């Protein structure tokens, strides 16, 4: 049978079919675990159950040298970079780890790092409760302990500098995924980053009536549009970042110029809970809580919510209270 490189539509349909069966397997595994262990333990171990379900699905198919259900559905087969042999066991194992385990691990690391950088006594007590619930031998507990030790070596200014970096990394991963999908639409290979890392591509069985050229041309146009949209998104985010930096510098300069007047405002001035100093340039959130302008704007750069009541809001809804002491 003649073979040719699989086109974009076949790879997308194969991935959608695999996701359908993975979701089916996850739901059944979650229901079984919840029935046997109860809802409380199921909530603690839900992500791990989904991880084991994905590892089982790809372990019984790709890692064992068989087609997945999605690949069978569209009649495509995996090949290594030579296009003449199926991928080796090492390549298949690398793909399974990068596709199933690495996203789980990266998400856990970023969440633990963000919690520790934001942490105080309140967050640490919450961490202790979660550790007691999940057990000291779980991966999440070990990650929290490692992150707590690493963040404990940083000073408070260093923590404040690292917290926006975590947010930038999370946004960067999203943009990287969008860039990879746009490149896939143009090139027609490596729909998943994990397959690009492992060097696994696909061949298909050629049919009698194939409109492969038309399909690839349509997806190239979609890829060009996706790249243009991604470029506009990056430009808007960079412009927004510059505006926030300029506003922060202007307010810092204004605060320094009026610092002497603020210090003489009286010994009973109310303190800001973020900087634990006398509140300067009082600013109100939509929920009515008051903070320093610079403190709450820096907070909103990482989390658009009230530090006290956790109510979500957009940063442009902050109200600067003029002539308010």
């Amino acid at each position: 049978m003649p073979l040719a490189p699989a086109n974009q539509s076949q790879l997308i349909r194969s991935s959608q079919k695999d996701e359908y069966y993975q979701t089916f397997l996850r739901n059944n595994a979650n229901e079984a675990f919840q029935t046997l262990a109860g809802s409380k333990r199921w909530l603690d171990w839900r992500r791990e159950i989904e991880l084991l379900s994905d590892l089982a699905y790809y372990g019984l198919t790709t890692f064992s040298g068989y087609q997945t259900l999605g690949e069978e559905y569209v009649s495509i087969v995996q090949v290594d970079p030579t296009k003449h042999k199926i991928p080796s066991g090492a390549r298949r194992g690398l793909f399974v780890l990068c596709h199933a385990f690495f996203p789980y691990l990266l998400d856990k690391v970023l969440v633990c790092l963000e919690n520790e950088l934001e942490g105080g006594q309140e967050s640490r007590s919450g961490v202790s409760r979660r550790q007691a619930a999940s057990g000291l031998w779980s991966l999440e507990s070990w990650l929290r302990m490692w992150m707590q030790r690493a963040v404990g070596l940083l000073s408070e200014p260093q923590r404040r500098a690292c917290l926006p970096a975590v947010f930038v990394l999370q946004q960067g991963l999203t943009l990287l995924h969008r860039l990879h999908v746009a490149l896939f639409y143009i090139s027609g290979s490596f729909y998943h980053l994990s397959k690009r890392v492992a060097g696994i591509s696909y061949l298909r069985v050629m049919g009698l009536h194939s409109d492969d050229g038309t399909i690839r041309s349509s997806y190239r146009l979609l890829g060009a549009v996706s790249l243009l949209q991604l470029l506009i998104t990056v430009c808007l985010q960079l412009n927004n970042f510059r505006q926030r930096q300029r506003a922060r510098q202007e307010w810092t300069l204004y605060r320094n110029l009026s610092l002497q007047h603020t210090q003489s405002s009286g010994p009973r001035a109310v303190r800001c809970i973020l900087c634990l100093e006398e509140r300067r340039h009082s600013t109100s959130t939509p929920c009515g809580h008051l903070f320093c302008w610079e403190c709450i704007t820096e907070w909103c750069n990482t989390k658009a919510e009230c530090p006290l009541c956790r109510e979500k809001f957009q940063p442009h809804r902050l109200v600067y209270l003029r002539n308010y002491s």
Side-chain angles (χ1 to χ4, degrees), residues 55 57-66 78 88-96:
L55 291 176
Y57 181 81
Y58 286 107
L60 294 173
T61 54
T62 299
F63 186 70
S64 300
Y66 300 104
Q78 295 182 358
S88 63
R91 286 185 183 275
R92 298 196 302 268
L94 177 62
F95 160 71
V96 173

Side-chain angles (χ1 to χ4, degrees), residues 181-204:
V181 172
L183 294 177
F184 161 74
Y185 290 150
I186 295 174
S187 64
S189 57
F190 303 119
Y191 184 49
H192 298 104
L193 273 170
S194 51
K195 287 191 173 71
R196 186 180 294 274
V197 172
I200 296 176
S201 55
Y202 285 95
L203 295 179
R204 65 184 175 89

Side-chain angles (χ1 to χ4, degrees), residues 1-6 75-77 79 83 203-206:
M1 291 184 297
L3 298 177
S75 301
I76 58 177
V77 292
V79 290
K83 309 292 185 183
L203 295 179
R204 65 184 175 89
V205 178
M206 294 184 63

